[in-house]
Amino acid sequence: MQLPVGQTKILILQGDITEQDTEAIVNAANSSLMGGGGVDGAIHRAGGPQILEECKQIVARQGRLPTGEAVLTTGGSLKARYVIHTVGPIWRGGKNGEDELLAKAYRSCLALAVKYGIKSLSFPSISTGAYRFPKERAAKIARTTVVDFLIDHSFEELRFVLFSRNDLELYERVWVKLANCS
Ligand code: ADP
């Protein structure tokens, strides 16, 4: 599914984030930046050891990455030139600031992309795997946060890359439903 928001093309598709040819892809990392399962593991496997080397240097310089923040490395051997690593919140029932922290993670990635002049960026569904954030709630936060950010900024393309058919259909529902309400 493709839809415009201002000057920005939003693309929602089913696929593997490591194969995307946008200028940057987002990694749903953890605070250690030392790799892990899910998207994180897939990105380090596909991108090679250079990404982990750069992550280690970042941690040596500034310590663990707090939840909601983002840092940039090169993309190693990925098609994408850069990887933006962010840490989404672990779901703990919803009363521990999870919504705002997830929104902050998306905003931090978008702000870093603007800072580096990145024109196209792919997002996975942050926090909805090992971190167990409810998927529909997360999809709505992703949508609202991105649309708010696009009031003052624009990109050539923002892609949401969903791993499963179910997640794709959920995203499509959320974007279409909210588009009809606004
Ligand atoms: P988190 O720890 O932030 O929850 P995960 O990587 O465990 O991150 O999961 C986030 C989402 O990414 C899940 O919906 C998962 O199905 C999906 N996912 C896992 N591998 C990939 C991949 N290679 N490309 C795109 N999405 C993926």
Side-chain angles (χ1 to χ4, degrees):
M1 184 174 108
Q2 187 179 316
L3 70 161
V5 175
Q7 301 298 308
T8 304
K9 181 169 89 179
I10 305 281
L11 199 62
I12 297 171
L13 72 155
Q14 186 179 358
D16 182 338
I17 194 138
T18 65
E19 291 170 5
Q20 303 306 310
D21 59 2
T22 44
E23 219 179 320
I25 62 172
V26 170
N27 182 16
N30 57 61
S31 289
S32 76
L33 292 181
M34 289 299 116
V39 178
D40 202 4
I43 287 176
H44 284 286
R45 272 195 304 279
Q50 191 191 332
I51 300 176
L52 188 60
E53 209 37 61
E54 290 177 47
C55 285
K56 283 182 183 163
Q57 285 168 16
I58 290 168
V59 174
R61 220 168 36 235
Q62 67 187 57
R64 291 165 68 85
L65 186 64
T67 304
E69 296 191 10
V71 292
L72 179 132
T73 66
T74 61
S77 46
L78 295 169
K79 285 182 198 159
R81 185 162 174 210
Y82 300 108
V83 177
I84 294 177
H85 306 259
T86 191
V87 183
I90 298 171
W91 180 258
R92 293 198 172 88
K95 295 203 169 70
N96 298 283
E98 292 96 327
D99 289 348
E100 182 44 37
L101 285 168
L102 185 61
K104 188 176 174 192
Y106 278 97
R107 266 198 307 273
S108 298
C109 294
L110 293 162
L112 209 51
V114 168
K115 183 173 166 192
Y116 283 88
I118 291 166
K119 289 284 166 209
S120 59
L121 178 62
S122 295
F123 282 102
S125 177
I126 301 167
S127 282
T128 64
Y131 284 2
R132 298 183 321 274
F133 205 107
K135 290 184 175 197
E136 182 167 350
R137 189 159 169 152
K140 287 178 176 166
I141 290 168
R143 195 268 186 194
T144 306
T145 307
V146 165
V147 170
D148 280 353
F149 195 87
L150 293 179
I151 294 171
D152 293 323
H153 304 87
S154 68
F155 298 88
E156 276 165 21
E157 185 178 317
L158 293 179
R159 238 177 242 183
F160 292 94
V161 183
L162 291 319
F163 214 33
S164 71
R165 180 91 215 156
N166 276 351
D167 287 358
L168 173 70
E169 285 170 4
L170 170 66
Y171 258 68
E172 288 181 342
R173 268 201 316 278
V174 162
W175 279 80
V176 169
K177 195 166 24 175
L178 292 177
N180 290 339
C181 297
S182 56

mmCIF file with all atom_site columns, all heavy atoms in Angstrom, residues 17-28:
data_model
loop_
_atom_site.group_PDB
_atom_site.id
_atom_site.type_symbol
_atom_site.label_atom_id
_atom_site.label_alt_id
_atom_site.label_comp_id
_atom_site.label_asym_id
_atom_site.label_entity_id
_atom_site.label_seq_id
_atom_site.pdbx_PDB_ins_code
_atom_site.Cartn_x
_atom_site.Cartn_y
_atom_site.Cartn_z
_atom_site.occupancy
_atom_site.B_iso_or_equiv
_atom_site.pdbx_formal_charge
_atom_site.auth_seq_id
_atom_site.auth_comp_id
_atom_site.auth_asym_id
_atom_site.auth_atom_id
_atom_site.pdbx_PDB_model_num
ATOM 1  N N   . ILE A 1 17 ? 13.413 -6.412  6.436  1.00 0.00 ? 17 ILE A N   1
ATOM 2  C CA  . ILE A 1 17 ? 13.998 -5.066  6.487  1.00 0.00 ? 17 ILE A CA  1
ATOM 3  C C   . ILE A 1 17 ? 15.442 -5.054  5.993  1.00 0.00 ? 17 ILE A C   1
ATOM 4  O O   . ILE A 1 17 ? 15.906 -4.060  5.441  1.00 0.00 ? 17 ILE A O   1
ATOM 5  C CB  . ILE A 1 17 ? 13.866 -4.454  7.901  1.00 0.00 ? 17 ILE A CB  1
ATOM 6  C CG1 . ILE A 1 17 ? 14.162 -2.952  7.842  1.00 0.00 ? 17 ILE A CG1 1
ATOM 7  C CG2 . ILE A 1 17 ? 14.794 -5.120  8.907  1.00 0.00 ? 17 ILE A CG2 1
ATOM 8  C CD1 . ILE A 1 17 ? 13.244 -2.125  8.666  1.00 0.00 ? 17 ILE A CD1 1
ATOM 9  N N   . THR A 1 18 ? 16.144 -6.158  6.128  1.00 0.00 ? 18 THR A N   1
ATOM 10 C CA  . THR A 1 18 ? 17.558 -6.170  5.724  1.00 0.00 ? 18 THR A CA  1
ATOM 11 C C   . THR A 1 18 ? 17.706 -6.051  4.200  1.00 0.00 ? 18 THR A C   1
ATOM 12 O O   . THR A 1 18 ? 18.784 -5.764  3.712  1.00 0.00 ? 18 THR A O   1
ATOM 13 C CB  . THR A 1 18 ? 18.276 -7.458  6.175  1.00 0.00 ? 18 THR A CB  1
ATOM 14 O OG1 . THR A 1 18 ? 17.697 -8.578  5.502  1.00 0.00 ? 18 THR A OG1 1
ATOM 15 C CG2 . THR A 1 18 ? 18.174 -7.655  7.664  1.00 0.00 ? 18 THR A CG2 1
ATOM 16 N N   . GLU A 1 19 ? 16.635 -6.301  3.465  1.00 0.00 ? 19 GLU A N   1
ATOM 17 C CA  . GLU A 1 19 ? 16.724 -6.269  1.996  1.00 0.00 ? 19 GLU A CA  1
ATOM 18 C C   . GLU A 1 19 ? 16.278 -4.933  1.396  1.00 0.00 ? 19 GLU A C   1
ATOM 19 O O   . GLU A 1 19 ? 16.243 -4.783  0.181  1.00 0.00 ? 19 GLU A O   1
ATOM 20 C CB  . GLU A 1 19 ? 15.876 -7.406  1.407  1.00 0.00 ? 19 GLU A CB  1
ATOM 21 C CG  . GLU A 1 19 ? 16.478 -8.758  1.717  1.00 0.00 ? 19 GLU A CG  1
ATOM 22 C CD  . GLU A 1 19 ? 15.542 -9.911  1.371  1.00 0.00 ? 19 GLU A CD  1
ATOM 23 O OE1 . GLU A 1 19 ? 14.468 -9.651  0.798  1.00 0.00 ? 19 GLU A OE1 1
ATOM 24 O OE2 . GLU A 1 19 ? 15.907 -11.045 1.692  1.00 0.00 ? 19 GLU A OE2 1
ATOM 25 N N   . GLN A 1 20 ? 15.929 -3.985  2.240  1.00 0.00 ? 20 GLN A N   1
ATOM 26 C CA  . GLN A 1 20 ? 15.371 -2.732  1.719  1.00 0.00 ? 20 GLN A CA  1
ATOM 27 C C   . GLN A 1 20 ? 16.475 -1.853  1.132  1.00 0.00 ? 20 GLN A C   1
ATOM 28 O O   . GLN A 1 20 ? 17.588 -1.789  1.666  1.00 0.00 ? 20 GLN A O   1
ATOM 29 C CB  . GLN A 1 20 ? 14.624 -1.978  2.819  1.00 0.00 ? 20 GLN A CB  1
ATOM 30 C CG  . GLN A 1 20 ? 13.516 -2.799  3.447  1.00 0.00 ? 20 GLN A CG  1
ATOM 31 C CD  . GLN A 1 20 ? 12.535 -3.352  2.419  1.00 0.00 ? 20 GLN A CD  1
ATOM 32 O OE1 . GLN A 1 20 ? 12.030 -2.622  1.574  1.00 0.00 ? 20 GLN A OE1 1
ATOM 33 N NE2 . GLN A 1 20 ? 12.270 -4.650  2.494  1.00 0.00 ? 20 GLN A NE2 1
ATOM 34 N N   . ASP A 1 21 ? 16.121 -1.161  0.038  1.00 0.00 ? 21 ASP A N   1
ATOM 35 C CA  . ASP A 1 21 ? 17.109 -0.311  -0.631 1.00 0.00 ? 21 ASP A CA  1
ATOM 36 C C   . ASP A 1 21 ? 16.902 1.166   -0.309 1.00 0.00 ? 21 ASP A C   1
ATOM 37 O O   . ASP A 1 21 ? 17.328 2.040   -1.060 1.00 0.00 ? 21 ASP A O   1
ATOM 38 C CB  . ASP A 1 21 ? 17.073 -0.544  -2.143 1.00 0.00 ? 21 ASP A CB  1
ATOM 39 C CG  . ASP A 1 21 ? 15.694 -0.239  -2.731 1.00 0.00 ? 21 ASP A CG  1
ATOM 40 O OD1 . ASP A 1 21 ? 14.785 0.183   -1.969 1.00 0.00 ? 21 ASP A OD1 1
ATOM 41 O OD2 . ASP A 1 21 ? 15.522 -0.401  -3.950 1.00 0.00 ? 21 ASP A OD2 1
ATOM 42 N N   . THR A 1 22 ? 16.248 1.452   0.799  1.00 0.00 ? 22 THR A N   1
ATOM 43 C CA  . THR A 1 22 ? 16.181 2.851   1.242  1.00 0.00 ? 22 THR A CA  1
ATOM 44 C C   . THR A 1 22 ? 17.565 3.262   1.746  1.00 0.00 ? 22 THR A C   1
ATOM 45 O O   . THR A 1 22 ? 18.398 2.413   2.070  1.00 0.00 ? 22 THR A O   1
ATOM 46 C CB  . THR A 1 22 ? 15.147 3.019   2.366  1.00 0.00 ? 22 THR A CB  1
ATOM 47 O OG1 . THR A 1 22 ? 15.306 1.945   3.309  1.00 0.00 ? 22 THR A OG1 1
ATOM 48 C CG2 . THR A 1 22 ? 13.733 2.986   1.833  1.00 0.00 ? 22 THR A CG2 1
ATOM 49 N N   . GLU A 1 23 ? 17.785 4.546   1.835  1.00 0.00 ? 23 GLU A N   1
ATOM 50 C CA  . GLU A 1 23 ? 19.097 5.041   2.247  1.00 0.00 ? 23 GLU A CA  1
ATOM 51 C C   . GLU A 1 23 ? 19.466 4.556   3.651  1.00 0.00 ? 23 GLU A C   1
ATOM 52 O O   . GLU A 1 23 ? 20.633 4.292   3.938  1.00 0.00 ? 23 GLU A O   1
ATOM 53 C CB  . GLU A 1 23 ? 19.021 6.573   2.226  1.00 0.00 ? 23 GLU A CB  1
ATOM 54 C CG  . GLU A 1 23 ? 20.257 7.238   1.716  1.00 0.00 ? 23 GLU A CG  1
ATOM 55 C CD  . GLU A 1 23 ? 20.078 8.749   1.700  1.00 0.00 ? 23 GLU A CD  1
ATOM 56 O OE1 . GLU A 1 23 ? 18.977 9.225   1.342  1.00 0.00 ? 23 GLU A OE1 1
ATOM 57 O OE2 . GLU A 1 23 ? 21.012 9.434   2.070  1.00 0.00 ? 23 GLU A OE2 1
ATOM 58 N N   . ALA A 1 24 ? 18.475 4.438   4.506  1.00 0.00 ? 24 ALA A N   1
ATOM 59 C CA  . ALA A 1 24 ? 18.718 3.932   5.855  1.00 0.00 ? 24 ALA A CA  1
ATOM 60 C C   . ALA A 1 24 ? 17.611 2.960   6.247  1.00 0.00 ? 24 ALA A C   1
ATOM 61 O O   . ALA A 1 24 ? 16.494 3.033   5.716  1.00 0.00 ? 24 ALA A O   1
ATOM 62 C CB  . ALA A 1 24 ? 18.770 5.082   6.857  1.00 0.00 ? 24 ALA A CB  1
ATOM 63 N N   . ILE A 1 25 ? 17.957 2.043   7.147  1.00 0.00 ? 25 ILE A N   1
ATOM 64 C CA  . ILE A 1 25 ? 16.935 1.193   7.762  1.00 0.00 ? 25 ILE A CA  1
ATOM 65 C C   . ILE A 1 25 ? 17.058 1.352   9.273  1.00 0.00 ? 25 ILE A C   1
ATOM 66 O O   . ILE A 1 25 ? 18.132 1.681   9.786  1.00 0.00 ? 25 ILE A O   1
ATOM 67 C CB  . ILE A 1 25 ? 17.071 -0.307  7.375  1.00 0.00 ? 25 ILE A CB  1
ATOM 68 C CG1 . ILE A 1 25 ? 18.406 -0.897  7.835  1.00 0.00 ? 25 ILE A CG1 1
ATOM 69 C CG2 . ILE A 1 25 ? 16.887 -0.496  5.871  1.00 0.00 ? 25 ILE A CG2 1
ATOM 70 C CD1 . ILE A 1 25 ? 18.503 -2.419  7.643  1.00 0.00 ? 25 ILE A CD1 1
ATOM 71 N N   . VAL A 1 26 ? 15.957 1.120   9.957  1.00 0.00 ? 26 VAL A N   1
ATOM 72 C CA  . VAL A 1 26 ? 15.941 1.249   11.416 1.00 0.00 ? 26 VAL A CA  1
ATOM 73 C C   . VAL A 1 26 ? 16.078 -0.129  12.042 1.00 0.00 ? 26 VAL A C   1
ATOM 74 O O   . VAL A 1 26 ? 15.429 -1.091  11.613 1.00 0.00 ? 26 VAL A O   1
ATOM 75 C CB  . VAL A 1 26 ? 14.636 1.934   11.888 1.00 0.00 ? 26 VAL A CB  1
ATOM 76 C CG1 . VAL A 1 26 ? 14.482 1.851   13.409 1.00 0.00 ? 26 VAL A CG1 1
ATOM 77 C CG2 . VAL A 1 26 ? 14.617 3.393   11.424 1.00 0.00 ? 26 VAL A CG2 1
ATOM 78 N N   . ASN A 1 27 ? 16.925 -0.203  13.051 1.00 0.00 ? 27 ASN A N   1
ATOM 79 C CA  . ASN A 1 27 ? 17.083 -1.431  13.829 1.00 0.00 ? 27 ASN A CA  1
ATOM 80 C C   . ASN A 1 27 ? 16.373 -1.292  15.164 1.00 0.00 ? 27 ASN A C   1
ATOM 81 O O   . ASN A 1 27 ? 16.596 -0.332  15.895 1.00 0.00 ? 27 ASN A O   1
ATOM 82 C CB  . ASN A 1 27 ? 18.582 -1.682  14.075 1.00 0.00 ? 27 ASN A CB  1
ATOM 83 C CG  . ASN A 1 27 ? 18.830 -2.970  14.842 1.00 0.00 ? 27 ASN A CG  1
ATOM 84 O OD1 . ASN A 1 27 ? 17.934 -3.811  14.941 1.00 0.00 ? 27 ASN A OD1 1
ATOM 85 N ND2 . ASN A 1 27 ? 20.024 -3.123  15.390 1.00 0.00 ? 27 ASN A ND2 1
ATOM 86 N N   . ALA A 1 28 ? 15.503 -2.266  15.476 1.00 0.00 ? 28 ALA A N   1
ATOM 87 C CA  . ALA A 1 28 ? 14.892 -2.334  16.809 1.00 0.00 ? 28 ALA A CA  1
ATOM 88 C C   . ALA A 1 28 ? 15.910 -3.022  17.715 1.00 0.00 ? 28 ALA A C   1
ATOM 89 O O   . ALA A 1 28 ? 15.884 -4.235  17.901 1.00 0.00 ? 28 ALA A O   1
ATOM 90 C CB  . ALA A 1 28 ? 13.590 -3.129  16.743 1.00 0.00 ? 28 ALA A CB  1
#
